Amino acid sequence: MNNSQLYKGSLSTVLLKLLKENGRMYGYEMTQKVKELTANEVVLNEGALYPALHKLEAEGLLTAEVVPVGNRMRKYYAITPKGQTETESRLAELEEFVKHMQLLLGAKLSLG
């Protein structure tokens, strides 16, 4: 994601939602999915992605599995049951935030 503080504050929620909807994914796959979903408007860089994934894993919200693919190893991430619950909580919180911003700014924002 770019340097916007709004994106940085939402990164872990975005990752959890991606994994909840898509199942097991590896890092590069996540970056491509974010680009696809945002029509290349949001670029998730590795410097932000991997620390966020490691933090979510340490919190017990994700699991990681290293799998051989061809002649190299690929690390796949998957959401845990605790991560599923946390995702729902974070999405509800984000929805409330957007509602409040709509009221404060008079903007037409939508989570889609």
Side-chain angles (χ1 to χ4, degrees), residues 7-8 10 17 28 31-32 34-35 39 44 47 51-55 87 91 97 106 108:
Y7 289 128
K8 287 180 183 177
S10 304
K17 183 138 185 347
Y28 179 74
T31 65
Q32 296 309 297
V34 167
K35 283 172 64 175
L44 181 59
L53 288 170
H54 296 155
K55 184 174 187 285
T87 302
L91 289 173
F97 173 77
K108 298 204 184 303

Side-chain angles (χ1 to χ4, degrees), residues 28-107:
Y28 179 74
E29 186 177 20
M30 290 180 218
T31 65
Q32 296 309 297
K33 189 67 172 177
V34 167
K35 283 172 64 175
E36 174 191 326
L37 291 170
T38 64
N40 295 318
E41 290 294 321
V42 178
V43 177
L44 181 59
N45 66 52
E46 291 180 10
L49 174 65
Y50 290 103
L53 288 170
H54 296 155
K55 184 174 187 285
L56 291 168
E57 185 181 2
E59 292 171 355
L61 304 177
L62 301 181
T63 59
E65 177 186 13
V66 178
V67 176
V69 176
N71 60 354
R72 61 191 192 105
M73 303 301 278
R74 181 176 287 164
K75 192 171 193 177
Y76 283 92
Y77 296 89
I79 195 166
T80 64
K82 180 181 174 184
Q84 297 267 359
T85 302
E86 182 67 17
T87 302
E88 293 306 317
S89 174
R90 290 183 185 195
L91 289 173
E93 187 178 311
L94 185 57
E95 190 170 343
E96 283 299 310
F97 173 77
V98 170
K99 284 182 194 175
H100 294 141
M101 289 297 103
Q102 287 174 321
L103 292 171
L104 292 169
L105 302 175

Side-chain angles (χ1 to χ4, degrees), residues 15-31:
L15 296 175
L16 288 168
K17 183 138 185 347
L18 276 177
L19 290 166
K20 181 176 184 227
E21 291 181 346
N22 297 285
R24 188 176 85 151
M25 298 177 81
Y26 57 96
Y28 179 74
E29 186 177 20
M30 290 180 218
T31 65

